[in-house]
Amino acid sequence: MNNPFPYSLDNKRYLTWNYYSQRKYGRKIYKVPLDGPFTCPNRDGTVSFGGCLYCAGGSNAFPALSDRDLVRQYRQRLPIFQNKWPDGLPLAYFQSYSNTNAPLERLREIYQPFIEAGDIYGLVIATRTDCLDEEKIAYLSSLTAVKPVWLELGLQSVHDQTLREMNRGHDYRSFLDCLDLLKDTDINVSVHLINGWMSESEEMMLETARQVGRLPIQAVKFHMLHVCRSTPLGERYLREPFPLLSKEQYTRLVARQLTLLRSDIIIERLTGDGLREELLAPEWTLKKVSVINDIDKIMAGEDWWQGKFYEE
Ligand code: SF4
């Protein structure tokens, strides 16, 4: 069957990071993940001590390559990615915890060397909206005159009841207020969503996609809820296992969510990959390629594509 989705180079019926890279830069752009000196206000007591119930701590992808000097850490890790994509363009990816959770002066010290390095093509900064204010946004916006800046914002769900149950420590309104500050800047925004929270119905997850799909953002990352061993959610699961989405339920749900998003939103992820040794459930999330293939098959079989049922 022909692929009617216009923003595709292959059989994908959604706008992939690869498509974006090729169209904008003519080659692969990749992220070099960094483990910076930040904490998270939802763990350090500013908002809460407990953190989000599912959070296994900041994600440090390469603990053995973790020089405290962040530029040196970047140089340690870069060859791993250069070997994989010799012609690609690297972005410095501040991934662990909340990477704007510090005074502005400290942010300047941390980010300036990455702005000055001519061989780094942009910054990707993962954070929470309550770690951004007008001054920090003005600073990050000024950096976009030199190179692209992405903010990866955790939202997870548009439903406040879910955010409370997750112990996110913020509501949807405050997320929207921050987006309002960002919408007239050149900062690119990517939003992180979690599917499969136990008390959410399928309709609630579709509603999250429907609403997020209309926001002034550039990208989305979908994740299935991971239940990890060393988290409050994991402890609860070990005491009394609760039902989680099956692979079939998840893949069909994500395929439907894609149809509700604006067609120019980049889909950075369709499923997450947690640490095998930490993961309690669901095990099928370890088969990432198979999950993505199933979503592709459903979309082709149903003749769905990203934005097919989008409504402004
Ligand atoms: S905001 Fe992020 S780092 Fe902080 S507790 Fe939640 S998931 Fe963990």
Side-chain angles (χ1 to χ4, degrees), residues 179-203:
L179 267 197
D180 219 38
L181 296 176
L182 287 163
K183 75 176 189 318
D184 295 324
T185 71
D186 286 329
I187 299 170
N188 296 310
V189 174
S190 176
V191 178
H192 192 288
L193 300 175
I194 292 182
N195 280 325
W197 187 254
M198 305 78 74
S199 61
E200 285 210 341
S201 63
E202 187 181 44
E203 185 43 47

Side-chain angles (χ1 to χ4, degrees), residues 232-248:
L233 195 64
E235 286 165 23
R236 193 189 288 182
Y237 188 82
L238 286 172
R239 277 198 310 274
E240 193 175 346
F242 41 81
L244 292 160
L245 295 184
S246 67
K247 185 179 173 208
E248 291 67 32

Side-chain angles (χ1 to χ4, degrees), residues 137-189:
I137 290 173
Y139 163 64
L140 295 172
S141 176
S142 73
L143 302 183
T144 63
V146 186
K147 54 185 71 172
V149 175
W150 284 82
L151 281 176
E152 259 187 22
L153 301 178
L155 172 62
Q156 323 312 354
S157 169
V158 300
H159 303 286
D160 283 343
Q161 177 62 27
T162 304
L163 299 180
R164 272 193 296 279
E165 288 172 12
M166 289 175 167
N167 194 38
R168 285 287 304 169
H170 67 79
D171 58 12
Y172 185 40
R173 182 70 256 166
S174 59
F175 176 89
L176 293 177
D177 289 344
C178 180
L179 267 197
D180 219 38
L181 296 176
L182 287 163
K183 75 176 189 318
D184 295 324
T185 71
D186 286 329
I187 299 170
N188 296 310
V189 174

Side-chain angles (χ1 to χ4, degrees), residues 32-38 59-81 92-96 99 114 120:
V32 179
L34 296 170
D35 187 35
F38 299 99
S59 28
N60 183 359
F62 304 100
L65 302 173
S66 295
D67 199 296
R68 283 170 65 92
D69 180 290
L70 273 189
V71 176
R72 280 208 294 268
Q73 189 187 112
Y74 174 84
R75 301 279 168 214
Q76 285 174 336
R77 295 178 177 195
L78 179 62
I80 300 169
F81 298 89
Y93 180 20
F94 298 82
Q95 184 183 27
S96 300
N99 294 276
F114 290 90
I120 297 174

